[in-house]
Amino acid sequence: MGAAHGHSLHYHGHSVLHRTPVHAKIVGLLAFVSVVVLTPGAYVLAFAAYAIIIAVLVAVSEVPVRYVLRRLWPVVPFVGVALLLPVVATGERVDVGPVSLAVEGLRGGLTLLLKVLLAATSAVLFAATTEPRELVRGLDQLRLPQPLVQILAFMLRYLEVVADEVRRMSIALTSRGFRARSPRHWPVLARTLGALFIRSYERGERVHLAMVSRGYTGRMPMRHTPAAVRDWARVAAVPAAAALALVTAALLPVGRLP
Amino acid sequence: MSVPVIELNGVAFAYPDGHQALFGVDLHIHPGERVALLGPNGAGKTTLVLHLNGILRPGLGSVTVSGLPVTDETVGEVRRRVGIVFQDPDDQLFMPTVRDDVAFGPANLGLTGAELDARVETALTVVGMGEFADRPPHHLSFGQRRRVAIATVLAMEPEILVLDEPSSNLDPTSRRELAEILEALPVTVLMVTHDLPYAAQLCERSVVLHDGVIAVDGPTLEVLSDADTMARHRLELPFGFDPTTLPARSKPTQ
């Protein structure tokens, strides 16, 4: 399985961030991102403070900076929107060289860009320091409804099994000379997809049978990691620092966009 | 004689679509016995196995596990007593780590904490997978996954271990290692298999299910040596395998 070992988002390590109980980390992440998102766009200083907080966390986590940056690509569409906003927005305009840009758009685009980048970076850092199966456990511990927890857990467990099945089916197709070159070949692909669905469905039934045979009654027994006061304190420090930065920025008359 | 672990009396079963799989099965398995359940494809072996822990209920006849009739009230206890290991370990191992998976059964029985950990530890050690407790199941080899699947059932301390095709898809070394593990287990075993040498090696008694009834019941070597019976029930020995040259297995003492 080689390359498939582990999950692409998780970076193996033993830092404080890796060791903090997951359910506490989830709460911390949500609180931090909430503060970031609720910050008015004018408070540039606050955003700078958030960036410093994240930088410190990345340093503590021992996850390489490049590793974090490379996983930020999902924000690219947002960057596009942020760049577009000044051009398409209406209202007061300023001339930058040959182009005329909307002031409101510039402000909105910048805010969007900052918020998306900060939130995405903290999420990537969370993912890099959390094993996917621990995430499921943490969500269970936070009392996420059982059906959702179980769907997540099974998805994680069977993703590779199903991917393997897809690989085998595609090898079998290729071995008999099939190549999807034109829309004429789509019916074959559709049938393959149908077969895959039925196989997965049947596997679901067999898994359920095996679960019932071992006394399953609707709840997955999961071991929960208790979080000590110290863990909660550490986790709370991050959104608390962000909130402090926000309040300071609100009170100080400097460092604001006009 | 002792109370049988498994007692089937006249078990008949038809699927909702009308296809009848079992036509009156009588089978008694006593504590400490090792029984191979043989039969051609489509003989109803899997259907029979699903009756043993109450997943399917007979249309006619009765199933009793160590004196306990299988009913809605007893089905929980029955599933603890009868441990079924299914053929595909990927169906059996659904939790994120080996440890979680082995703990699934005993946790459903209400075990927690140190007691639960001890059960998991013991079951994994018995199948020689103690070091793999924290690995995700899909990173294990097929043979290792099958052994973990057996541990998941052993952790419930069943009275009878039911194995569906335990040697299928195993390379010869894994097959032999599994045989050694099964040989050492101090439990009653019912093994569904097409692997006749495996049956001869591990089970002193064989029953042949054909067309939904128990057609043959006798010592494994006698059953396998009877060419007429074998041919009648679509059973065939692998090339070069001669059961008449093997020493008879004695019933393990408990």
Side-chain angles (χ1 to χ4, degrees):
Chain A
M1 263 167 228
H5 194 95
H7 291 263
S8 55
L9 274 174
H10 180 250
Y11 183 85
H12 187 75
H14 301 281
S15 73
V16 184
L17 257 73
H18 285 87
R19 280 182 281 119
T20 306
V22 182
H23 62 296
K25 263 198 284 187
I26 298 172
V27 174
L29 175 71
L30 283 180
F32 178 74
V33 171
S34 305
V35 174
V36 170
V37 171
L38 293 176
T39 306
Y43 298 172
V44 184
L45 266 190
F47 287 110
Y50 303 155
I52 292 171
I53 292 173
I54 291 180
V56 169
L57 287 176
V58 171
V60 169
S61 73
E62 291 162 18
V63 178
V65 176
R66 281 193 51 205
Y67 187 94
V68 175
L69 292 181
R70 256 189 297 147
R71 275 153 186 81
L72 278 176
W73 60 263
V75 306
V76 168
F78 292 94
V79 176
V81 172
L83 291 180
L84 215 60
L85 270 180
V87 183
V88 298
T90 52
E92 194 191 330
R93 300 186 87 85
V94 287
D95 288 326
V96 182
V99 284
S100 136
L101 300 174
V103 175
E104 266 318 300
L106 268 176
R107 203 171 277 160
L110 183 67
T111 313
L112 178 71
L113 194 62
L114 284 173
K115 287 182 178 179
V116 164
L117 273 178
L118 289 166
T121 317
S122 44
V124 166
L125 185 63
F126 171 84
T129 57
T130 309
E131 290 212 44
R133 57 169 190 260
E134 292 300 324
L135 173 63
V136 175
R137 219 171 283 192
L139 291 171
D140 184 59
Q141 204 159 353
L142 290 174
R143 313 250 168 98
L144 190 76
Q146 274 292 306
L148 292 179
V149 172
Q150 295 186 18
I151 288 170
L152 262 181
F154 285 117
M155 193 190 75
L156 266 181
R157 168 62 182 91
Y158 286 103
L159 205 59
E160 276 181 48
V161 174
V162 174
D164 248 11
E165 214 138 356
V166 173
R167 225 168 291 139
R168 281 200 304 271
M169 288 165 95
S170 107
I171 289 173
L173 283 176
T174 320
S175 305
R176 285 187 283 157
F178 176 79
R179 274 167 68 195
R181 267 171 306 204
S182 75
R184 273 190 306 127
H185 296 120
W186 288 357
V188 176
L189 295 179
R191 272 194 289 274
T192 313
L193 215 60
L196 182 72
F197 175 78
I198 290 178
R199 281 192 198 186
S200 304
Y201 188 82
E202 283 176 347
R203 182 181 295 280
E205 283 192 333
R206 292 199 304 273
V207 172
H208 182 247
L209 215 59
M211 292 171 70
V212 170
S213 294
R214 285 198 277 151
Y216 174 75
T217 49
R219 232 199 119 73
M220 289 291 242
M222 293 218 196
R223 328 162 153 254
H224 291 169
T225 338
V229 176
R230 198 185 34 181
D231 295 317
W232 282 113
R234 268 201 211 116
V235 163
V238 176
L244 192 68
L246 174 58
V247 172
T248 315
L251 295 179
L252 283 182
V254 294
R256 272 192 215 174
L257 281 186
Chain B
M1 209 148 174
S2 53
V3 180
V5 183
I6 295 287
E7 186 178 352
L8 303 178
N9 285 318
V11 169
F13 178 81
Y15 281 97
D17 65 2
H19 168 72
Q20 184 157 359
L22 301 177
F23 291 85
V25 172
D26 293 299
L27 177 64
H28 291 207
I29 298 173
H30 289 272
E33 273 193 302
R34 287 170 178 247
V35 183
L37 178 61
L38 314 175
N41 288 333
K45 299 191 295 290
T46 305
T47 309
L48 181 62
V49 165
L50 294 180
H51 276 80
L52 301 180
N53 74 347
I55 288 187
L56 297 179
R57 305 290 171 81
L60 271 178
S62 67
V63 181
T64 313
V65 175
S66 298
L68 194 69
V70 178
T71 64
D72 285 341
E73 289 75 47
T74 61
V75 80
E77 173 61 13
V78 163
R79 285 178 186 157
R80 187 197 68 73
R81 292 184 186 184
V82 181
I84 301 183
V85 181
F86 292 93
Q87 191 175 349
D88 186 347
D90 273 329
D91 296 343
Q92 184 116 20
L93 307 176
F94 44 80
M95 295 291 273
T97 65
V98 167
R99 182 191 306 280
D100 289 333
D101 217 299
V102 179
F104 181 83
N108 282 328
L109 299 176
L111 267 66
T112 51
E115 207 183 345
L116 182 61
D117 292 341
R119 278 277 185 106
V120 173
E121 196 70 30
T122 312
L124 282 174
T125 311
V126 167
V127 298
M129 291 294 293
E131 309 150 43
F132 297 86
D134 292 310
R135 296 273 285 275
H138 53 273
H139 289 165
L140 303 177
S141 76
F142 192 85
Q144 289 173 327
R145 271 182 279 166
R146 169 128 326 134
R147 273 146 67 182
V148 173
I150 292 172
T152 64
V153 168
L154 287 179
M156 299 178 78
E157 299 188 344
E159 291 175 14
I160 180 167
L161 187 63
V162 181
L163 301 152
D164 193 355
E165 295 285 357
S167 61
S168 65
N169 293 325
L170 293 184
D171 59 51
T173 309
S174 308
R175 181 177 173 278
R176 176 189 49 77
E177 285 169 351
L178 185 64
E180 284 164 6
I181 289 164
L182 293 176
E183 191 81 71
L185 291 178
V187 293
T188 312
V189 170
L190 176 67
M191 189 169 109
V192 178
T193 190
H194 289 298
D195 185 345
L196 300 179
Y198 222 47
Q201 183 186 354
L202 291 169
C203 303
E204 68 277 357
R205 177 182 163 203
S206 286
V207 294
V208 177
L209 187 72
H210 197 183
D211 291 336
V213 292
I214 300 287
V216 184
D217 185 345
T220 304
L221 293 186
E222 277 177 35
V223 174
L224 298 189
S225 308
D226 185 341
D228 278 351
T229 310
M230 295 283 284
R232 211 168 335 120
H233 303 298
R234 296 183 57 82
L235 295 174
E236 248 171 62
L237 295 168
F239 177 76
F241 179 75
D242 184 1
T244 57
T245 62
L246 293 175
R249 244 188 85 91
S250 57
K251 182 177 161 178
T253 44
Q254 286 225 307

